[in-house]
Amino acid sequence: MLGYVLRRLAIAVVLLWLLTVITFVIYLKVPQDPAGFIVDVQHASPAQIAQAHHILGTDKPALVQYEKYVVRLLHGDMGISWPTVVFFAGKVEGAPVGHMVWQALLVTASLTFGGFIVLLLVAVPL
């Protein structure tokens, strides 16, 4: 029994690792320049674009970015949502992704719970 549980845990860890790798590779392959969320890439100077890349950490090698991504995920920090980013006085501020996921989870849970109640009200009498 213990062997079965350990195998299932090992499979879960491998699947979560694969999920982070796939997610990160998709992030790297998106053609949108991440600096465009902070500065207007078409009108910004190369120095401003380079500063935006430095602040976001996209100027570092992919392995360093992946390491930072995994460490932050393990600490529960999913970063900030880039569409809500505001660049002010050298600092980047925006809506935290974790909070946005939590809000979506609450809505999903309420819909699931409501559906379960309707299921019980219909299925039990039938």
Side-chain angles (χ1 to χ4, degrees):
M1 179 68 174
L2 181 63
Y4 174 76
V5 170
L6 290 177
R7 268 194 314 272
R8 297 299 287 188
L9 283 174
I11 290 171
V13 168
V14 169
L15 286 175
L16 287 172
W17 174 74
L18 281 173
L19 182 65
T20 63
V21 169
I22 291 169
T23 304
F24 189 74
V25 168
I26 290 171
Y27 155 74
L28 288 178
K29 295 301 177 186
V30 169
Q32 177 89 20
D33 185 9
F37 289 106
I38 295 179
V39 296
D40 183 9
V41 179
Q42 294 178 353
H43 299 101
S45 69
Q48 289 172 321
I49 295 172
Q51 182 185 16
H53 282 290
H54 178 71
I55 290 170
L56 292 173
T58 56
D59 60 340
K60 296 181 175 83
L63 286 176
V64 174
Q65 291 180 45
Y66 178 73
E67 177 189 4
K68 184 178 176 183
Y69 170 65
V70 170
V71 168
R72 289 177 69 178
L73 273 179
L74 290 174
H75 287 98
D77 180 10
M78 294 185 219
I80 57 174
S81 173
W82 285 3
T84 65
V85 164
V86 176
F87 183 64
F88 183 72
K91 293 175 69 177
V92 176
E93 296 180 11
V97 173
H99 180 70
M100 296 169 78
V101 169
W102 180 251
Q103 293 298 322
L105 184 66
L106 290 177
V107 171
T108 303
S110 69
L111 288 171
T112 304
F113 183 71
F116 181 71
I117 296 298
V118 170
L119 174 91
L120 287 178
L121 291 175
V122 172
V124 170
L126 288 176

